[in-house]
Amino acid sequence: MLSRTADHLFWMARYMERAENTARMLDVTMKALLLPQTDESALRSQRAVLAISELGEVFAGRYDAVTADNVLRFMVADPGNPSSILSSLRAARENARAVRGALTTESWETINHTWLDFNRQIDEGMLAVDPDSVFEWVKLRSHLSRGVTLGTALKDEAFYFTQLGTFLERADNTARILDVRFADGAPASRASSGAPLDDFYYWTSILSSVSGLETYRQVYRDVLVPERVAELLILNPSMPRSLLASLDHVCENLAMLRTDNSRDCEREAGRLRAELLYAEIRPILSRGLHLYLTEFLGRIAILGNKISAAFLLPLTV
């Protein structure tokens, strides 16, 4: 496959996944704002969203103050934010259009209609009226896009590059969603035997945002404990959005795309997967979850660069 085609497919999938996970992260933040808290705590949460998305400087150049409304607009519908949901859906659609011939009709129409319908909702003011419904809609459209790909696409190189982009982006974004909790310095292990009331509601919302609340109850059959939530979302291979499950899929798809030039990125992915596979949650928490997730995000960025060097066009995003 031409590297240009592979590049468009890879980034098309990454941007669709990024739009979904930005919606999930904002869903966590918006729900957390409903909990009793000080103004300083609420402000810290908004700053954490910008910090873990590495968008603080971009935001400061476009808005005068960090407020819930400004952060929401910036992260959802601001065309000047390259990682907003608007920008992500636009980039997914443009990448899909560039390789229209490599996609099934259903896949192209799903992505194209998602872009058009999202703009309609923003123009009609749905973000101000009911942001939760916008987040749910974005998640459902991303689910639909993946389902259409799985149900209609030939299992060839185009399919594997699409899957590779999806799961690499998912690993990155699950780490960022988890880091919303810890970027403001909240202790990771203050509730080893049971969650205080504020933690209970927070972790309920974060599990719901990654479609993991029912999974948690099936696995642990106990009250919500932050340590176990972190374990589920980092180390459980059966949890679809966990870091380990995402790396499992990254390694599987790299194996299907193997070339003489891909050994380096396969080794990098394999090392990261092995570290997750044999890790335990207590040592991770004792080090500090924020530090662990920051290092993980750095490793994912390195892996993405290696994949780009092995298969794709020079990295420009």
Side-chain angles (χ1 to χ4, degrees), residues 19-20 22-31 72 75-76 85 118 121 127 130-141:
E20 177 186 349
T22 299
R24 291 178 180 275
M25 181 172 63
L26 291 172
D27 188 37
V28 171
T29 306
M30 294 291 290
K31 285 184 171 66
L72 184 64
M75 294 298 296
V76 176
I85 295 176
F118 180 77
Q121 291 191 54
L127 182 60
D130 190 2
D132 284 347
S133 71
V134 176
F135 299 151
E136 288 300 319
W137 181 89
V138 171
K139 288 187 280 185
L140 287 172
R141 295 300 298 187

Side-chain angles (χ1 to χ4, degrees), residues 6-27:
D7 187 82
H8 284 304
L9 291 166
F10 177 81
W11 282 104
M12 175 195 74
R14 286 201 71 165
Y15 279 120
M16 282 299 294
E17 184 72 17
R18 184 173 301 177
E20 177 186 349
N21 283 282
T22 299
R24 291 178 180 275
M25 181 172 63
L26 291 172
D27 188 37

Side-chain angles (χ1 to χ4, degrees), residues 1 12 19 90 104 123 129 145 183 205 210 232 251 272 281 293:
M1 175 176 285
M12 175 195 74
R90 179 179 59 211
T104 64
D123 291 343
V129 174
S145 178
S205 69
V210 295
L232 181 71
C251 290
L272 187 51
I281 196 62
L293 293 171

Side-chain angles (χ1 to χ4, degrees), residues 2-316:
L2 293 175
S3 61
R4 183 177 299 277
T5 300
D7 187 82
H8 284 304
L9 291 166
F10 177 81
W11 282 104
M12 175 195 74
R14 286 201 71 165
Y15 279 120
M16 282 299 294
E17 184 72 17
R18 184 173 301 177
E20 177 186 349
N21 283 282
T22 299
R24 291 178 180 275
M25 181 172 63
L26 291 172
D27 188 37
V28 171
T29 306
M30 294 291 290
K31 285 184 171 66
L33 290 177
L34 300 176
L35 301 176
Q37 59 187 303
T38 64
D39 292 341
E40 177 60 28
S41 178
L43 178 62
R44 193 165 57 240
S45 296
Q46 299 301 317
R47 287 175 174 165
V49 170
L50 299 173
I52 66 171
S53 302
E54 301 175 13
L55 294 169
E57 292 185 6
V58 179
F59 179 89
R62 298 182 63 80
Y63 295 88
D64 295 331
V66 178
T67 66
D69 288 341
N70 284 347
V71 171
L72 184 64
R73 170 62 58 176
F74 178 69
M75 294 298 296
V76 176
D78 192 334
N81 173 7
S83 292
S84 69
I85 295 176
L86 177 75
S87 296
S88 296
L89 292 179
R90 179 179 59 211
R93 191 243 190 183
E94 291 305 308
N95 278 283
R97 186 169 64 174
V99 288
R100 174 68 184 84
L103 301 175
T104 64
T105 298
E106 291 88 345
S107 291
W108 160 249
E109 289 181 348
T110 298
I111 293 173
N112 188 44
H113 289 166
T114 298
W115 164 247
L116 296 174
D117 287 349
F118 180 77
N119 279 275
R120 176 187 56 77
Q121 291 191 54
I122 296 303
D123 291 343
E124 292 176 356
M126 284 300 298
L127 182 60
V129 174
D130 190 2
D132 284 347
S133 71
V134 176
F135 299 151
E136 288 300 319
W137 181 89
V138 171
K139 288 187 280 185
L140 287 172
R141 295 300 298 187
S142 180
H143 295 328
L144 179 61
S145 178
R146 282 195 304 274
V148 167
T149 298
L150 289 171
T152 66
L154 185 69
K155 303 304 186 288
D156 58 3
E157 287 185 337
F159 175 81
Y160 297 127
F161 276 115
T162 301
Q163 294 294 98
L164 181 60
T166 294
F167 290 109
L168 188 68
E169 185 70 22
R170 182 174 296 181
D172 178 280
N173 282 275
T174 295
R176 293 181 191 275
I177 289 172
L178 264 175
D179 207 25
V180 171
R181 172 59 172 171
F182 299 98
D184 65 355
S189 58
R190 65 177 181 171
S192 59
S193 61
L197 188 61
D198 61 334
D199 277 348
F200 174 84
Y201 288 117
Y202 179 84
W203 289 109
T204 298
S205 69
I206 200 171
L207 283 170
S208 297
S209 76
V210 295
S211 305
L213 185 57
E214 292 83 2
T215 302
Y216 182 94
R217 290 169 175 161
Q218 289 176 347
V219 172
Y220 296 106
R221 301 182 183 278
D222 202 352
V223 297
L224 290 181
V225 178
E227 177 181 313
R228 290 175 175 174
V229 176
E231 181 180 54
L232 181 71
L233 296 183
I234 295 174
L235 303 179
N236 192 313
S238 299
M239 172 62 190
R241 308 196 74 85
S242 74
L243 303 188
L244 178 54
S246 299
L247 263 295
D248 282 345
H249 288 296
V250 167
C251 290
E252 290 169 4
N253 286 281
L254 281 174
M256 300 302 295
L257 295 165
R258 181 173 296 149
T259 68
D260 292 340
N261 296 325
S262 67
R263 297 295 183 181
D264 191 28
C265 61
E266 282 194 76
R267 279 193 294 269
E268 184 67 29
R271 276 195 295 268
L272 187 51
R273 176 186 175 274
E275 290 174 12
L276 288 166
L277 182 62
Y278 297 107
E280 295 181 347
I281 196 62
R282 289 186 182 275
I284 291 174
L285 295 181
S286 65
R287 282 188 61 211
L289 189 53
H290 178 58
L291 175 61
Y292 176 84
L293 293 171
T294 300
E295 292 178 352
F296 178 85
L297 288 168
R299 299 275 300 276
I300 286 292
I302 291 171
L303 176 56
N305 289 337
K306 289 181 181 293
I307 290 172
S308 181
F311 298 109
L312 311 176
L313 298 176
L315 189 62
T316 59

